[in-house]
């Protein structure tokens, strides 16, 4: 998996990130005794395909096996695919970097849930994932505010981001009596160019070069935009899951280095 268990804990942001249970979907179970009943299995497979299920865990639970719809094969589930229903959803996302699904267990076995990459495209997942990117933007914005006066920032922005529209949007808002700092009108792409143009900011954020800074912010921006827009898929390929996790890690590192809230903030024991 992308992270060890300890590393997952290092990247958990807030206790409100959502749980494995919230992220998961109801499970379509197949009884182990049903596998040998050809007519019944034909009906079950048709039903699975119509409802869009790729995997069907087998009952009883202690078989620790599942049926793969596409191949018609039965496979064993790995111990690492199981996560408690009340664990932060980041544990499930980490499992999906190596396995096709995670199983969220519950004391009430009728309340078990299955988590697949498709669940990362739901509004529920996007709502919780956005906390990473929002904290990154806030922390970097605060860093820039501390460095520049409003007049200085206007000059820096025009030089670093020629043709960018943030200052014009800020100016229009001022005309409408909206008294906000210009950094509040800057996108992730704007913030990237401002900090890239400042050697002290590069050092504070842990980037040895402008190129590495750009690459990191671009990764964050890509998945931030996917999370922000309801009509975009966050995950459309297997590689996307690992890339998403990488972007969350980068977003967390940038936020912490910029002086934002650290991981594990107020996480209950």
């Amino acid at each position: 998996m992308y992270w060890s268990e300890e590393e997952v804990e290092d990247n958990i942001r807030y206790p409100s990130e959502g749980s494995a249970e919230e992220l998961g979907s109801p499970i379509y179970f197949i009884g182990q005794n049903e596998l040998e009943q050809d007519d019944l299995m034909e009906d079950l497979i048709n039903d699975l395909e119509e409802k869009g299920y790729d995997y069907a865990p087998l009952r009883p639970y202690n078989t620790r096996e599942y049926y793969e719809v596409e191949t018609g094969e039965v496979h064993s589930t790995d111990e690492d695919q199981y996560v408690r229903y009340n664990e932060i959803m980041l544990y499930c996302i980490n499992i999906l970097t190596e396995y096709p699904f995670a199983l969220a267990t519950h004391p009430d076995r009728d309340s078990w849930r299955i988590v697949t990459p498709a669940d990362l495209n739901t509004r529920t997942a996007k709502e919780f994932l956005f906390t990473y990117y929002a904290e990154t933007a806030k922390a970097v914005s605060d860093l820039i505010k501390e460095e520049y006066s409003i007049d200085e920032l206007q000059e820096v922005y025009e030089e670093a981001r020629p043709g960018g529209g943030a200052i014009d949007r800020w100016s229009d808002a001022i005309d409408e009596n909206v008294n906000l700092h210009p950094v509040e009108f800057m996108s992730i792409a704007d913030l990237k160019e401002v900090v890239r143009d400042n050697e002290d900011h590069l050092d504070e954020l842990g980037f040895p070069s402008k190129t590495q800074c750009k690459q990191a912010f671009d990764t964050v921006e890509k998945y931030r935009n996917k999370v922000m827009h309801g009509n975009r898929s966050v995950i459309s390929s297997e590689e996307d899951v690992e890339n998403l996790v990488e972007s969350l890690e980068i977003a967390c590192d940038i936020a912490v280095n910029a002086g934002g809230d650290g991981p594990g903030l107020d996480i209950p024991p």
Side-chain angles (χ1 to χ4, degrees):
M1 284 183 275
Y2 189 92
W3 291 313
S4 68
E5 184 170 348
E6 293 76 17
E7 289 169 335
V8 174
E9 295 173 359
D10 287 341
N11 286 281
I12 291 173
R13 304 298 299 168
Y14 310 110
S16 61
E17 279 184 46
S19 65
E21 182 178 35
E22 291 174 272
L23 182 61
S25 302
I27 297 177
Y28 192 119
F29 284 103
I30 291 179
Q32 193 174 38
N33 63 321
E34 295 172 331
L35 292 173
E36 306 303 323
Q37 302 179 48
D38 293 340
D39 291 342
L40 177 58
M41 280 301 298
E42 184 177 350
D43 291 338
L44 290 176
I45 291 169
N46 288 336
D47 197 27
L48 285 162
E49 291 176 340
E50 287 177 6
K51 293 179 177 178
Y53 285 87
D54 295 318
Y55 311 103
L58 301 185
R59 276 183 163 151
Y61 292 89
N62 59 10
T63 62
R64 291 186 175 270
E65 293 179 322
Y66 67 94
Y67 179 83
E68 184 176 2
V69 177
E70 183 177 0
T71 64
E73 297 174 340
V74 173
H75 304 281
S76 297
T77 53
D78 193 284
E79 179 66 30
D80 289 339
Q81 288 179 257
Y82 293 82
V83 61
R84 294 197 308 276
Y85 73 100
N86 56 353
E87 290 278 17
I88 298 294
M89 67 169 59
L90 201 63
Y91 285 97
C92 287
I93 298 174
N94 192 42
I95 291 170
L96 296 177
T97 64
E98 183 172 342
Y99 298 98
F101 63 86
L103 288 171
T105 63
H106 192 281
D108 175 6
R109 294 201 166 187
D110 290 332
S111 298
W112 281 37
R113 292 289 184 267
I114 188 170
V115 182
T116 69
D119 290 306
L120 302 180
N121 292 324
T122 63
R123 292 185 184 276
T124 298
K126 290 178 178 181
E127 176 184 346
F128 294 118
L129 290 171
F130 184 67
T131 60
Y132 281 83
Y133 306 116
E135 175 60 24
T136 299
K138 177 181 180 298
V140 174
S141 295
D142 289 344
L143 184 68
I144 292 171
K145 284 182 189 177
E146 293 173 4
E147 177 73 16
Y148 300 112
S149 68
I150 289 178
D151 289 340
E152 289 172 336
L153 181 56
Q154 291 181 70
E155 294 180 11
V156 168
Y157 180 81
E158 294 296 346
E159 182 177 342
R161 186 86 160 140
I167 297 300
D168 289 340
R169 291 192 295 271
W170 168 74
S171 182
D172 290 342
I174 291 295
D175 291 341
E176 296 172 3
N177 202 30
V178 178
N179 189 20
L180 289 174
H181 194 282
V183 78
E184 302 296 343
F185 295 83
M186 294 184 183
S187 65
I188 290 285
D190 293 323
L191 299 174
K192 170 187 66 181
E193 296 303 332
V194 172
V195 298
R196 283 183 73 209
D197 207 43
N198 186 304
E199 292 294 336
D200 290 337
H201 286 170
L202 289 176
D203 289 342
E204 288 182 75
L205 296 177
F207 297 120
S209 69
K210 290 184 177 182
T211 299
Q212 289 189 338
C213 177
K214 179 183 185 302
Q215 291 171 342
F217 270 86
D218 286 350
T219 300
V220 169
E221 182 184 13
K222 176 181 178 180
Y223 284 92
R224 180 263 185 197
N225 290 343
K226 287 173 176 282
V227 166
M228 269 292 295
H229 299 286
N231 61 345
R232 295 190 189 181
S233 294
V234 179
I235 302 300
S236 53
S237 68
E238 292 181 10
E239 293 77 14
D240 272 340
V241 180
E242 186 162 330
N243 292 336
L244 168 65
V245 172
E246 181 187 18
S247 80
L248 296 175
E249 183 177 59
I250 292 171
C252 183
D253 288 343
I254 291 175
V256 171
N257 291 338
D261 290 329
L265 179 68
D266 297 328
I267 296 296

